């Protein structure tokens, strides 16, 4: 859709992501990211935390499965997605309510205070171990350019 609000949020997971499956069979992961602004107070010479924002995030299909397999409570993440506002009426009080959520497009660990090892996820329908499709660029390596000091140097 046009004119959607796309945002990037950096924060910590408040709990392990939960994997659910829709009746149609699509995987869905739900998780909450807490993002707290932090500023330096020059008068006290200390860092001061602002008010935390909690954002409910939803990832779908393969991304959902990868999130659940890779990330746990407390992980610092960088999340990009479409901001959505959900509206409903409270059943008990009949008051109209709303909240913001994030439909996740991309997510990864923040490497500011951590390191991570990345491995390509396998998908269903992939060839057996030891066999790689010719268009799998992750599995191939180009020969080193003449005069190169590194055997696995990229060709650019």
């Amino acid at each position: 859709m046009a004119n959607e609000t796309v945002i990037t949020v950096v924060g910590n997971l408040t709990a392990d992501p939960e994997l659910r499956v829709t009746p149609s069979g699509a995987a869905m992961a739900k998780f909450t990211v807490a993002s707290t602004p932090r500023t330096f107070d020059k008068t006290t010479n200390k860092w001061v935390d602002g008010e935390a924002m909690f954002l409910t995030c939803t990832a779908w299909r393969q991304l959902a499965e990868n999130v659940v397999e890779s990330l746990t409570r407390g992980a610092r993440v960088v999340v990009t997605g479409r901001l959505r506002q959900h509206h409903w009426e409270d059943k008990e009080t009949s008051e109209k309510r709303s909240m913001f959520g994030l439909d996740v497009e991309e997510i990864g660990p923040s490497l500011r205070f951590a390191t991570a090892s990345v491995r390509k996820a396998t998908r269903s329908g992939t060839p057996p171990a030891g066999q790689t499709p010719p268009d799998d660029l992750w599995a191939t390596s180009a020969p080193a350019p003449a005069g190169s000091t590194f055997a696995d140097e990229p060709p650019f």
Side-chain angles (χ1 to χ4, degrees):
M1 294 196 333
N3 297 323
E4 292 184 312
T5 304
V6 177
I7 65 168
T8 299
V9 177
V10 178
N12 295 72
L13 297 183
T14 61
D16 290 344
E18 295 179 27
L19 185 66
R20 301 175 190 166
V21 180
T22 65
S24 65
M28 174 183 75
K30 285 267 194 190
F31 54 94
T32 302
V33 174
S35 181
T36 307
R38 193 165 221 217
T39 56
F40 188 75
D41 185 346
K42 292 179 183 178
T43 59
T44 62
N45 254 0
K46 293 183 181 179
W47 288 96
V48 179
D49 288 339
E51 188 173 338
M53 175 185 67
F54 295 88
L55 193 57
T56 302
C57 301
T58 306
W60 292 93
R61 297 171 193 75
Q62 185 67 47
L63 177 60
E65 293 177 27
N66 294 347
V67 165
V68 171
E69 186 176 321
S70 304
L71 300 171
T72 57
R73 178 183 188 266
R76 187 165 179 83
V77 294
V78 179
V79 187
T80 298
R82 294 179 316 274
L83 191 63
R84 300 275 191 219
Q85 187 170 17
H86 305 280
H87 303 277
W88 73 95
E89 190 172 303
D90 189 302
K91 292 178 183 177
E92 294 176 12
T93 64
S94 297
E95 290 182 28
K96 293 185 182 200
R97 305 269 185 190
S98 67
M99 70 174 265
F100 285 98
L102 190 65
D103 289 342
V104 178
E105 291 290 327
E106 298 284 342
I107 182 171
S110 169
L111 301 181
R112 175 174 252 175
F113 305 114
T115 62
S117 297
V118 178
R119 62 182 163 78
K120 186 175 180 184
T122 57
R123 295 185 181 188
S124 58
T126 56
Q131 296 179 4
T132 56
D135 60 342
D136 187 355
L137 299 177
W138 285 60
T140 61
S141 60
S148 171
T149 57
F150 299 104
D152 59 350
E153 189 171 333
F156 48 86

